[in-house]
Amino acid sequence: MAKWYCTMCHTEVEQDTAPDHCTTCMAAGKLILDLEAGIPATPEDVRDQARKRLKGLCAAYPACDGNFDKVCQKEAYGKPIGFGGAGQGSSFRNNAQALMNLRLKMRVVGEHAEPDASIDFLGMNLEFPVMGASTAGIEKYNDAMPEKDFCRAIVNGCREAGTIGWRGDTWFYTPENNPALQVLKEEKGQGIPIFKPRAQDVLKKLIHMAEDAGCPAVGLDLDGCGSTIMARNNQPVFRKSVKDIKELVEFTSLPFITKGIMALEDAEACAEAGAKVVGVSNHGGRVLDATPGTAEVLPEIAHRLKGKVFITVDGGIRTGYDVLKMIALGADAVLLGRDIIRAAVGGGTLGVRLHMEHVKKIFKKAMFMTGQNRVADIDRNILC
């Protein structure tokens, strides 16, 4: 009799043959592992499995930087974008390079203290300033895993690691069949839905569903206005004015997040409209080629809005060291996208937790080695 382990809900069962699904959480059979063969114990174990399931799309390289020697980018120009960046991928590369160009100042003299990496985010205590980004659509990538399993892996893996996962929106999500909102309702609102900038009436319906699911906040992926695949599938998206954003902010009692911001003017407009969170992001370099890296535009936005709104940033962040750099530049928290997709595909909830816990460990080490005891104390003085 073999023993089987569900990477989604951690259920163990004994039976002769591999289960075709988990009887506890209904996860797909591909996410259930033979205990005798071993289960992932490290992020690298998880990435090894993700490499197989994302073959031809993402090879889970040690350096996820969008260079032309990477399978995601060398095939992207003029073809479906896959895991790569828009156009020739310079925005994707700029995200990674901007962080690589920053140096940390090591400080080892002073009173000994264990760093406190926790933060307050919209009244929620997070163990560290890292959240899962609002990704979506993974079931259309090599049929890597069912969409609801993907959403559940992000939500529960982040929760188990002491943080929260954001959930995204894509062309096959509709108000009538929205995998993210379905999972968030089933998981009692343990995640934050971020919607594409659809028509106002559609957004209001989705926001009402998020409220009904018990979500702690809702948001808008403003840079999704450039999504051609949404329009091709009868899911039109639009640029949003300050008036539009304010209308949505006032429609809900939940804190409102505006994501996809790369210009100070847009950041100030979102704050003016009443957004509680401004997310600095170029969508991982996937919506417009030739933008700066997010680490290049973050300081100006943080200088003007720090303390007035909560500032998040994503783009090129791969390690706890990168997290520290972004916090030093003025972010209140960061989001992880591609790495968390790989973690979910390679190991379900378990994979996401393993990856997030590794990032937390390295972030706390980086705080310790730069003499930082609290996240609120981190500033540009730790950069060389």
Side-chain angles (χ1 to χ4, degrees):
M1 187 77 69
K3 290 185 177 181
W4 304 91
Y5 170 82
C6 176
T7 60
M8 291 294 297
C9 69
H10 314 303
T11 295
E12 296 182 15
V13 297
E14 291 189 19
Q15 63 182 66
D16 290 329
T17 58
D20 58 9
H21 68 277
C22 175
T23 55
T24 300
C25 71
M26 304 305 293
K30 66 176 66 177
L31 296 164
I32 301 173
L33 305 180
D34 183 347
L35 269 173
E36 186 175 340
I39 61 174
T42 68
E44 191 53 47
D45 293 340
V46 174
R47 289 162 72 90
D48 285 343
Q49 185 60 49
R51 249 179 230 109
K52 300 172 186 175
R53 293 179 178 164
L54 296 172
K55 186 175 181 180
L57 293 168
C58 173
Y61 299 98
C64 177
D65 54 17
N67 282 335
F68 288 113
D69 60 343
K70 305 300 192 298
V71 65
C72 67
Q73 197 57 49
K74 68 182 181 182
E75 301 294 340
Y77 190 53
K79 297 182 180 181
I81 195 169
F83 271 57
Q88 292 187 312
S90 64
S91 297
F92 183 0
R93 290 190 294 279
N94 290 343
N95 281 341
Q97 191 60 53
L99 280 166
M100 286 290 292
N101 289 341
L102 296 171
R103 302 289 182 263
L104 295 172
K105 183 188 297 181
M106 189 166 70
R107 295 289 304 277
V108 295
V109 176
E111 295 296 323
H112 182 85
E114 290 299 319
D116 177 4
S118 66
I119 64 165
D120 178 89
F121 174 60
L122 302 179
M124 296 174 278
N125 180 262
L126 306 184
E127 292 183 14
F128 61 125
V130 182
M131 295 175 274
S134 52
T135 52
I138 198 61
E139 77 172 27
K140 303 301 182 182
Y141 292 88
N142 286 3
D143 193 26
M145 65 191 298
E147 192 70 14
K148 285 187 68 175
D149 286 347
F150 174 66
C151 293
R152 202 180 310 277
I154 303 292
V155 168
N156 288 339
C158 286
R159 178 181 53 79
E160 289 180 8
T163 184
I164 193 166
W166 297 14
R167 290 293 72 242
D169 189 10
T170 192
W171 61 272
F172 60 90
Y173 285 27
T174 66
E176 296 71 34
N177 183 21
N178 187 298
L181 288 173
Q182 290 165 12
V183 166
L184 289 172
K185 186 165 187 176
E186 291 165 8
E187 299 298 332
K188 298 179 172 54
Q190 295 295 307
I192 298 173
I194 306 293
F195 305 117
K196 287 286 193 295
R198 301 165 181 263
Q200 294 290 91
D201 61 331
V202 176
L203 286 170
K204 288 178 180 179
K205 183 173 183 179
L206 291 168
I207 289 169
H208 179 71
M209 293 168 68
E211 292 172 334
D212 183 60
C215 298
V218 293
L220 205 55
D221 224 344
L222 290 166
D223 59 8
C225 65
S227 174
T228 55
I229 194 171
M230 292 286 289
R232 285 202 307 270
N233 287 275
N234 297 315
Q235 303 259 29
V237 286
F238 308 90
R239 290 171 63 95
K240 296 296 181 181
S241 66
V242 172
K243 180 181 176 182
D244 292 331
I245 298 169
K246 188 174 183 179
E247 180 183 343
L248 297 174
V249 168
E250 294 177 348
F251 175 77
T252 180
S253 60
L254 297 178
F256 202 84
I257 297 168
T258 50
K259 183 176 172 290
I261 302 303
M262 288 291 289
L264 175 60
E265 298 90 339
D266 284 354
E268 291 180 321
C270 290
E272 177 189 340
K276 297 295 185 185
V277 180
V278 169
V280 177
S281 173
N282 59 12
H283 217 87
R286 296 169 55 78
V287 293
L288 176 65
D289 204 4
T291 73
T294 53
E296 297 176 82
V297 303
L298 171 61
E300 181 183 30
I301 293 171
H303 177 72
R304 191 68 63 88
L305 294 179
K306 186 82 168 179
K308 298 178 182 178
V309 295
F310 192 98
I311 300 171
T312 68
V313 66
D314 61 75
I317 302 161
R318 308 287 179 248
T319 70
Y321 303 114
D322 291 335
V323 175
L324 183 63
K325 291 175 183 180
M326 287 298 203
I327 300 296
L329 293 177
D332 294 303
V334 311
L335 301 167
L336 301 184
R338 287 178 175 92
D339 273 345
I340 295 304
I341 294 174
R342 288 185 282 261
V345 170
T349 298
L350 173 64
V352 173
R353 175 172 62 80
L354 286 171
H355 189 87
M356 279 295 199
E357 287 180 342
H358 177 72
V359 172
K360 175 168 55 175
K361 175 183 174 182
I362 299 303
F363 174 65
K364 292 182 73 172
K365 175 184 177 181
M367 286 182 67
F368 181 78
M369 294 303 294
T370 54
Q372 305 301 299
N373 296 331
R374 301 186 311 140
V375 174
D377 296 333
I378 299 168
D379 60 25
R380 293 193 68 135
N381 288 322
I382 69 167
L383 300 176
C384 297

